[in-house]
Amino acid sequence: MKRQMDRPEGLPKGEITVEGLLREPWKRNMFTPVNKPEEGKFYFPDVAEMAKVAESQPVWIEETMGTGDLLIPPISSTMLTSWL
């Protein structure tokens, strides 16, 4: 997947609203593989690591309502993949 800076035509323009809760993400357990940020593969949400790869602010927003209207597909708690 291309980086945002390399695909400006695919990004929303103007003001957008994101609704959710700011929470501390869950931690990796002994059964969860290690993230591979160099490949864009995240198996647990290491927010600082993900922000570094995405060149963004380290913020975790948890969806509060299942509207299906998010800009990105729903994220499984089992595996976070290359969405950056």
Side-chain angles (χ1 to χ4, degrees), residues 26-58:
W26 61 90
K27 302 297 180 197
R28 179 178 174 267
N29 63 39
M30 60 190 259
F31 300 106
T32 307
V34 175
N35 288 340
K36 298 178 182 177
E38 66 282 352
E39 296 176 24
K41 295 181 180 178
F42 294 89
Y43 302 97
F44 68 97
D46 182 329
V47 178
E49 188 176 56
M50 294 165 82
K52 184 177 178 183
V53 170
E55 298 177 4
S56 67
Q57 295 178 12

Side-chain angles (χ1 to χ4, degrees), residues 5 8 11 16 18-19 23 28 30 34-36 38 41 44 47 49 56 63 66-67 72 77 80-81 83:
M5 64 185 352
L11 298 175
I16 62 167
V18 177
E19 294 183 18
R23 292 196 175 176
R28 179 178 174 267
M30 60 190 259
V34 175
N35 288 340
K36 298 178 182 177
E38 66 282 352
K41 295 181 180 178
F44 68 97
V47 178
E49 188 176 56
S56 67
E63 181 183 15
T67 63
I72 58 173
S77 62
L80 297 170
T81 58
W83 59 272

